[in-house]
Amino acid sequence: MADTSTTLNDPALYFNRDLSILEFNRRVLALADDEHIPLLERLRFLTIVSSNLDEFFEVRFAGVMQRRIYGAGPLGLDGLGPEEEMRAVSSVAHEIISAQYSCLNERLIPALAAEGIHLLRRREWKATQRRWVADYFRNEVLPLLTPLSLDPAHPFPKVQNKGLNFAIVLDGDDAYGRHSPIAIVQAPRILPRIIQLPEKIAGPTDFVFLSSVIHENIDSLFPGLEVKGFYQFRVTRNSELFVDEEEVDNLLDAIADELTTRPFGEAVRLEVANNCPANVFEYLLRHFDLQAENLYTLSGPVNLSRMAAIIDMVPRPDLLYAPFLPGTPDRCLRSEEIFAQLRRGPLLLHHPYQSFTPVIDFVRQAAADPQVLGIKQTLYRTTNDSAIIQALMDAAVAGKQVTAVIELKARFDEANNIHLAEELESVGVQVVYGVVKHKVHAKMILVLRREEDGLRLYGHLGTGNYHPRNARIYTDFSLLTADPGITADMNALFMHITGIGQAPRLKHLLQSPFTLFSGMRERIAAETALGPRGRIIIRVNSLIDPDLIRDLYQASLAGVQVSLIVRGACALRPGIPGVSENIRVVSIVGRFLEHSRVFYFGGNGSPEVWLSSADWMGRNLFRRLEVAVPIRDPDLKKRIQREALDYYLQDHCNAWEMQADGSYQSLRQADADCFSAQQTLLNQYARGGNNG
């Protein structure tokens, strides 16, 4: 084969990661505009876009700004430098946010009103409602507000990241003869942003915004002065933590200290209401050291994510997705304890279509079983009230050896994980914070049990976190197994994480940062050698790594059929003549967040199927501890191929196909022909397809 290394390094073959993330959010926004979806779920998707964009600006956009300031070169294989990327990202972000507010104002608010759900503007309030709002303001809001005039004695206050603020333009002198043309009022985070009016003065689902409540009564904060203007604004700040792990004595204390400064990082975005005059937003831009490209003028509330509260306050199940009961494998319904079940064969669970309860029961039974000597678990994201956490604590109290590897650097869950670590340590759990400069992202539970023939190990490996809420809305796989080879590798991994030494020689699992990357390249190369007989299907959340992308291009050039199911960011460009004609990229965006990672290599007649915690990104392959587990059972292989891959490649309801220019085209067909992988799986398990 001719040398294609120079050709495959051409920046035109790669799509920018940050632009790809924004394209994903464009697909989510399309769900908010989709009339096939229940109305309150459409509102939820609208708020999800806001939450996603907040994180994008706090992390990704903030990083681009930093690199521009320090004159860094191109950020990736796409060849865009910081200045070019800044302009491109800013342009697309402005487009998406403008479309978001158009969706809210032109379609969602009228549709909600048609269902009797009203978001009342001040001009729509009746006299009785104004009186109620005045009382509410006086009793619930006013005591918590601190108006701050701006003068030499009152400098501009520290505005928290993503907090709701108001710039107040004033006229007149105060009691001391001072004249301050502008004041700042910050809305305390504890106050609800959406307030439901009582039925005695409004409809059963009528709401007002906190901003409207404050605006209506703003004169009372500045007695004797004339309020000439009232303008919402919000600042998004750089929220990355900067902790040099090799220079600190206690990682937990260092991260806890850093968290106190996160709300006041460098500003990266200013959002203002569209009634804000130029002199005010220019003043704010100067104060926050931002440029015009960082300004977002909004035709509505400056934080749409808070509108999600409406969904829980409106008792309209007909406007939500129909509830479903996750299936439970038949073998889990028997009274037999789970260890006996696993000795007969592995158990595979497909969440959320199948219940997460067997995983919880696995830990609970281990905690209560006198034959269990120890439990080891990794924890990346969970909740303090998780049943698994309680089971670990119960096990420790019962005298078992319990080890929890808690990732303190799980972005935006740091404070929760610090609290969790302290709580577990208080009952005797041995808590470890992972590996210096490497996040522990692998999802593993290992149970050590004394049996008649000696010590036996049982394990759980998953593609998702041990988070009870996520298990209801994320698609993930769980593998419960007593396979001695796999569990021995798991034990070696735990020993490696908690101790010190060279990388363990694993016989079955692949592990980053040591063997996962090379293992994937070897398997792609093996399929490439088969030419047109080769078959590769990869399902991940993100595909960014340049070497793996080049390898996939080489496979395509050799005639291998490559199917990529990539939910979010994808730097590979499919369909480029002479490079990627044999590669197809689809993204499924629907009711559930696609989170499973599945790798299929099937050209040699004996397919390999892997489940993993890792995306195909540099951070997962080189800067995190991740695991990929092979599926050996032939029936489970077929099941994963059918449920995680085939169904998704057939989807013509929630599927979007990536084009060579990085854009996506919806594959949705007419309702009669619409095949949805997610709905098919819901139907399958609702009908009793519960075997694991």
Side-chain angles (χ1 to χ4, degrees):
M1 183 180 295
D3 180 15
T4 59
S5 59
T6 301
T7 302
L8 296 185
N9 284 329
D10 185 345
L13 299 181
Y14 301 89
F15 191 57
N16 180 268
R17 174 182 175 181
D18 292 331
L19 293 175
S20 190
I21 292 172
L22 290 176
E23 286 298 325
F24 167 69
N25 282 288
R26 205 193 293 270
R27 299 194 292 279
V28 178
L29 180 58
L31 298 181
D33 254 332
D34 188 342
E35 294 183 358
H36 298 89
I37 294 174
L39 181 56
L40 290 178
E41 302 292 356
R42 292 170 60 191
L43 177 62
R44 192 191 310 276
F45 284 121
L46 187 83
T47 66
I48 287 171
V49 172
S50 285
S51 298
N52 288 349
L53 290 177
D54 283 349
E55 182 172 342
F56 176 81
F57 278 96
E58 290 174 285
V59 179
R60 298 298 310 169
F61 193 82
V64 178
M65 287 185 66
Q66 287 289 314
R67 286 185 284 271
R68 182 173 70 170
I69 291 170
Y70 295 110
L75 307 183
L77 284 180
D78 58 277
L80 291 184
E83 194 69 43
E84 296 171 287
E85 180 171 8
M86 180 71 70
R87 288 196 298 269
V89 167
S90 178
S91 176
V92 175
H94 276 87
E95 286 179 16
I96 292 173
I97 291 172
S98 177
Q100 188 183 16
Y101 280 85
S102 293
C103 174
L104 173 68
N105 294 317
E106 298 170 19
R107 292 175 290 284
L108 286 185
I109 287 180
L112 289 167
E115 294 291 345
I117 304 165
H118 301 103
L119 303 172
L120 300 177
R121 307 287 185 177
R122 292 169 58 228
R123 63 178 178 272
E124 300 172 313
W125 294 353
K126 301 174 183 176
T128 54
Q129 294 167 343
R130 290 185 188 278
R131 288 194 293 271
W132 184 89
V133 166
D135 287 341
Y136 180 88
F137 175 82
R138 183 169 55 254
N139 296 322
E140 302 292 336
V141 180
L142 180 59
L144 296 174
L145 298 181
T146 304
L148 296 167
S149 62
L150 302 184
D151 58 43
H154 302 87
F156 202 105
K158 283 191 173 183
V159 173
Q160 286 196 34
N161 182 36
K162 299 182 296 186
L164 174 61
N165 310 278
F166 307 100
I168 316 299
V169 177
L170 302 169
D171 189 25
D173 295 337
D174 72 359
Y176 300 95
R178 299 173 301 181
H179 178 73
S180 179
I182 192 167
I184 302 296
V185 175
Q186 297 174 286
R189 292 184 182 272
I190 197 171
L191 291 175
R193 297 317 192 237
I194 304 288
I195 301 155
Q196 187 167 5
L197 294 173
E199 286 194 45
K200 63 182 180 180
I201 62 167
T205 48
D206 285 359
F207 301 90
V208 295
F209 291 100
L210 175 66
S211 55
S212 297
V213 171
I214 295 175
H215 191 177
E216 178 71 10
N217 296 277
I218 193 65
D219 289 344
S220 63
L221 292 177
F222 304 98
L225 302 182
E226 182 181 1
V227 175
K228 306 287 286 186
F230 176 94
Y231 312 110
Q232 297 180 52
F233 73 92
R234 190 172 77 129
V235 177
T236 311
R237 297 182 179 276
N238 186 336
S239 294
E240 279 284 58
L241 298 182
F242 301 95
V243 176
D244 188 341
E245 297 176 45
E246 294 183 339
E247 296 296 325
V248 299
D249 296 322
N250 186 308
L251 183 61
L252 185 146
D253 289 344
I255 291 178
D257 288 344
E258 189 75 11
L259 285 175
T260 62
T261 64
R262 171 182 273 174
F264 306 106
E266 292 182 351
V268 298
R269 174 178 60 163
L270 173 66
E271 297 169 284
V272 300
N274 61 359
N275 67 336
C276 185
N279 65 310
V280 175
F281 67 65
E282 288 171 357
Y283 168 76
L284 294 172
L285 285 171
R286 287 194 301 273
H287 174 77
F288 293 113
D289 197 21
L290 294 173
Q291 306 300 315
E293 65 191 0
N294 306 118
L295 176 69
Y296 290 78
T297 303
L298 312 177
S299 55
V302 296
N303 186 355
L304 292 185
S305 60
R306 288 293 199 105
M307 289 185 68
I310 294 172
I311 300 167
D312 294 326
M313 291 192 286
V314 174
R316 290 289 302 275
D318 58 308
L319 300 181
L320 297 169
Y321 285 124
F324 72 98
L325 184 65
T328 301
D330 297 337
R331 58 195 283 196
C332 294
L333 298 174
R334 304 172 193 146
S335 58
E336 182 182 37
E337 52 92 15
I338 197 165
F339 304 112
Q341 296 177 32
L342 295 181
R343 286 194 294 272
R344 287 199 302 275
L347 173 65
L348 180 73
L349 301 168
H350 195 175
H351 312 300
Y353 315 107
Q354 288 183 294
S355 174
F356 194 70
T357 300
V359 180
I360 297 172
D361 288 343
F362 176 62
V363 186
R364 280 177 168 164
Q365 289 186 32
D369 189 337
Q371 292 179 252
V372 169
L373 306 181
I375 305 172
K376 302 179 182 182
Q377 179 168 1
T378 60
L379 291 166
Y380 190 76
R381 297 190 198 278
T382 188
T383 56
N384 290 324
D385 60 353
S386 164
I388 285 181
I389 299 303
Q390 186 59 54
L392 292 178
M393 297 174 70
D394 292 343
V397 171
K400 303 182 190 302
Q401 181 66 34
V402 181
T403 301
V405 181
I406 297 181
E407 183 48 68
L408 294 180
K409 303 180 295 299
R411 184 178 290 145
F412 301 119
D413 269 358
E414 298 95 344
N416 178 70
N417 284 3
I418 288 172
H419 176 73
L420 176 62
E422 293 171 340
E423 188 174 15
L424 288 170
E425 284 184 320
S426 71
V427 295
V429 174
Q430 179 66 54
V431 174
V432 179
Y433 303 135
V435 179
V436 170
K437 291 195 172 181
H438 289 78
K439 289 186 180 182
V440 178
H441 194 248
K443 315 303 192 286
M444 302 187 296
I445 305 172
L446 187 66
V447 171
L448 300 86
R449 191 171 189 265
R450 177 72 68 189
E451 298 182 357
E452 290 183 1
D453 55 351
L455 190 65
R456 185 149 191 168
L457 307 182
Y458 299 84
H460 169 269
L461 297 115
T463 65
N465 299 302
Y466 297 106
H467 194 295
R469 180 174 177 274
N470 289 357
R472 296 276 301 179
I473 59 176
Y474 286 20
T475 67
D476 275 305
F477 281 100
S478 283
L479 178 69
L480 289 154
T481 182
D483 183 307
I486 289 175
T487 55
D489 276 2
M490 292 175 67
N491 195 42
L493 268 177
F494 273 110
M495 299 287 283
H496 172 66
I497 294 169
T498 61
I500 189 170
Q502 296 298 311
R505 294 183 177 273
L506 306 181
K507 296 181 179 179
H508 306 281
L509 302 179
L510 293 175
Q511 172 206 2
S512 66
F514 303 109
T515 58
L516 181 53
F517 174 67
S518 60
M520 292 297 101
R521 297 197 72 182
E522 289 167 7
R523 284 159 177 81
I524 296 173
E527 297 297 317
T528 302
L530 295 173
R533 292 186 295 115
R535 186 72 173 109
I536 299 172
I537 311 176
I538 303 299
R539 175 173 167 175
V540 287
N541 299 329
S542 300
L543 172 56
I544 301 296
D545 182 77
D547 291 307
L548 291 176
I549 292 175
R550 278 190 288 262
D551 289 349
L552 292 172
Y553 283 154
Q554 291 280 14
S556 173
L557 287 167
V560 177
Q561 293 299 308
V562 180
S563 296
L564 305 174
I565 305 166
V566 184
R567 182 196 78 206
C570 181
L572 178 149
R573 292 182 186 264
I576 298 176
V579 177
S580 55
E581 294 115 318
N582 293 315
I583 301 178
R584 181 186 181 216
V585 180
V586 296
S587 171
I588 307 296
V589 184
R591 173 175 183 172
F592 304 118
L593 182 75
E594 295 298 336
H595 196 251
S596 306
R597 289 89 164 186
V598 181
F599 314 145
Y600 174 94
F601 305 95
N604 64 359
S606 179
E608 286 189 41
V609 176
W610 296 77
L611 298 179
S612 182
S613 59
D615 287 313
W616 282 17
M617 303 172 65
R619 71 182 189 190
N620 300 86
L621 299 168
F622 306 113
R623 301 189 298 279
R624 289 185 175 185
L625 194 150
E626 307 270 15
V627 167
V629 55
I631 303 300
R632 296 171 170 173
D633 183 283
D635 291 334
L636 296 188
K637 276 189 186 182
K638 292 177 182 177
R639 183 177 155 210
I640 292 172
Q641 181 180 352
R642 180 178 66 253
E643 295 183 9
L645 305 177
D646 293 347
Y647 284 173
Y648 282 78
L649 293 174
Q650 297 168 27
D651 194 299
H652 284 91
C653 186
N654 298 315
W656 297 72
E657 186 156 8
M658 187 179 183
Q659 309 300 300
D661 63 358
S663 65
Y664 284 77
Q665 178 179 327
S666 174
L667 299 182
R668 187 179 187 94
Q669 294 181 348
D671 288 350
D673 303 316
C674 186
F675 177 86
S676 165
Q678 293 187 356
Q679 190 59 51
T680 298
L681 288 164
L682 278 174
N683 295 342
Q684 173 180 312
Y685 285 104
R687 289 195 301 265
N690 292 329
N691 291 324

